[in-house]
Amino acid sequence: MTGIICGTGSYAPSYVMDNNEIAAMVDTSDEWIKERTGVATRHIIKGETTVSMACEAARRALLDSGVRAEEVELIIVSTISSNVILPCTACEVQRELGAENATCFDMSAACSGFVLAYNTALAYLSGGIYRTVLIIGSESLSNLTNWKDRSTCILFGDGAGAAVMKAGEGRAYLPVTCSDGGKGKALTCLSRHTPVESAHMNDPEYYMQMDGQAVFKFAVKKVPEAVNEVLRKNHVSKEEITWYVLHQANSRIVESVAKRLEEPIEKFPMNLQEYGNTSSASIAILLDEMKRDGRLKNGQKIVIAGFGAGLTWGASVMEWG
Ligand code: COA
């Protein structure tokens, strides 16, 4: 028994902020941002919330899968930017969707969040505990962004992605998951609330702060290690993998991972040009785009890999459809 993704959905706010708009706020340029990160635009909330984006992505995933909200037995939302501390985002999503039979909880693992939500759903499904699970990554990172800090505000965006998973016959691949709390200071954010509502709105520590170079070096070393390990562990060869769907942080990170794995860059789809880094939503949004435009086909083997604050990282293999 395993868990199979049978529907995907995503949502991005309609407001698009390009690099020139950021260059009007801080000392940077479109050219610099594109060259160092690959990001050209990002979608930014204007009235949407982490819950509303999660709900829209989830509705689309349910529609795509043909599963009714009442059939969902577990909802996992991965987010670092919940609107409120209580109740959790997953319970709010349950209320809005009318998924009255679901058990709901949130996960906080930053940019590894979707991979860990997938693994958690897989464990519940393969273990026979649930048959239908909804996993969502939803982030309003613009609320946690210091718009005065040019080294971070260029990177992030808002959005949500969701997948419906069902129990089914097939192979349950083993994941690789890792954490190193000792290096947690490389990427921090002290606020749990919308900073504009916070008494600390002028304190940089209450926004995302990052040692960019340390995070870059960590990602380009640890992601290829995790991918190689997950393939080895599952006796899957690189030739069998059609797609490596990596967390969308920076095109230079993705390119470097491809090079270290000695795999063609064409196997590493990217949409960070449009969305920036949407943390736990990024992999789900990309999978949904690939499903809708026909790149994902039944039987393809895919690696998903996440990395980010914590530090946390990991990779999983899945068979599509
Ligand atoms: N525009 C123009 N100049 C900028 C800038 C910006 N937006 N941000 C930083 N700089 C400047 C720095 O001040 C520095 O200037 P100096 O040489 O005069 O001191 C110079 O550019 C180089 O800075 P550096 O930090 O070495 O740049 P970099 O090549 O490492 O690129 C990042 C910075 C943030 C783009 C890069 O480190 C990165 O992508 N890191 C990973 C970030 C990430 O993906 N995090 C999330 C993981 S989940």
Side-chain angles (χ1 to χ4, degrees):
M1 189 67 83
T2 187
I4 298 157
I5 294 182
C6 58
T8 59
S10 62
Y11 177 85
S14 58
Y15 182 73
V16 176
M17 183 187 279
D18 67 15
N19 291 341
N20 290 323
E21 194 171 340
I22 295 191
M25 292 188 269
V26 290
D27 183 13
T28 189
S29 66
D30 177 46
E31 213 182 348
W32 195 97
I33 301 171
K34 280 185 185 150
E35 191 195 310
R36 301 291 179 110
T37 70
V39 179
T41 60
R42 66 287 292 144
H43 294 254
I44 299 291
I45 50 171
K46 291 270 183 215
E48 293 97 337
T49 66
T50 299
V51 171
S52 73
M53 292 190 293
C55 287
E56 200 44 49
R59 282 190 192 100
R60 292 173 187 183
L62 287 170
L63 197 65
D64 186 44
S65 66
V67 168
R68 285 179 293 112
E70 313 84 74
E71 294 175 68
V72 175
E73 293 168 318
L74 175 66
I75 300 174
I76 305 173
V77 175
S78 171
T79 185
I80 54 165
S81 47
S82 57
N83 303 140
V84 293
I85 293 172
L86 298 172
C88 70
T89 303
C91 280
E92 296 202 79
V93 169
Q94 174 194 31
R95 182 195 62 222
E96 294 301 313
L97 297 181
E100 58 209 30
N101 298 310
T103 297
C104 308
F105 61 85
D106 287 3
M107 288 180 59
S108 171
C111 305
S112 304
F114 189 77
V115 175
L116 288 167
Y118 172 80
N119 292 340
T120 306
L122 195 61
Y124 276 110
L125 292 164
S126 331
I129 297 167
Y130 298 119
R131 286 155 302 167
T132 309
V133 179
L134 173 61
I135 54 173
I136 306 168
S138 185
E139 303 286 7
S140 310
L141 298 182
S142 57
N143 283 337
L144 308 179
T145 298
N146 181 353
W147 292 101
K148 294 177 187 155
D149 175 10
R150 68 175 180 172
S151 68
T152 54
C153 75
I154 58 169
L155 300 170
F156 300 103
D158 301 331
V164 176
M165 292 176 68
K166 280 181 126 175
E169 289 309 316
R171 191 172 156 196
Y173 294 93
L174 296 171
V176 166
T177 56
C178 313
S179 304
D180 183 357
K183 298 209 172 70
K185 290 224 160 66
L187 184 37
T188 60
C189 179
L190 296 193
S191 174
R192 283 283 325 245
H193 279 301
T194 312
V196 287
E197 293 168 358
S198 156
H200 303 282
M201 64 184 289
N202 289 318
D203 186 342
E205 289 200 333
Y206 282 77
Y207 298 89
M208 283 187 284
Q209 288 191 311
M210 185 178 60
D211 178 344
Q213 287 192 10
V215 174
F216 193 97
K217 283 181 194 152
F218 143 74
V220 299
K221 182 167 187 290
K222 295 297 185 185
V223 175
E225 281 177 14
V227 171
N228 277 325
E229 176 63 10
V230 85
L231 295 179
R232 191 198 58 75
K233 214 168 162 175
N234 291 292
H235 309 287
V236 173
S237 70
K238 284 187 211 163
E239 291 69 40
E240 292 175 72
I241 301 299
T242 310
W243 303 111
Y244 296 92
V245 181
L246 268 48
H247 165 53
Q248 300 289 292
N250 180 319
S251 56
R252 288 193 298 140
I253 292 178
V254 178
E255 284 155 11
S256 175
V257 171
K259 210 166 164 189
R260 286 181 190 222
L261 288 170
E262 298 177 339
E263 283 283 76
I265 191 67
E266 291 71 28
K267 284 177 142 186
F268 294 74
M270 282 189 250
N271 64 3
L272 60 91
Q273 304 86 328
E274 177 184 344
Y275 296 94
N277 178 344
T278 57
S279 194
S280 59
S282 71
I283 291 173
I285 294 173
L286 184 51
L287 286 175
D288 181 49
E289 280 189 0
M290 293 174 72
K291 178 162 195 275
R292 281 187 287 116
D293 68 24
R295 274 178 286 175
L296 293 181
K297 296 188 172 56
N298 286 356
Q300 286 177 340
K301 286 196 182 74
I302 299 166
V303 169
I304 56 171
F307 52 93
L311 299 172
T312 57
W313 66 102
S316 295
V317 188
M318 65 172 80
E319 219 165 293
W320 196 256

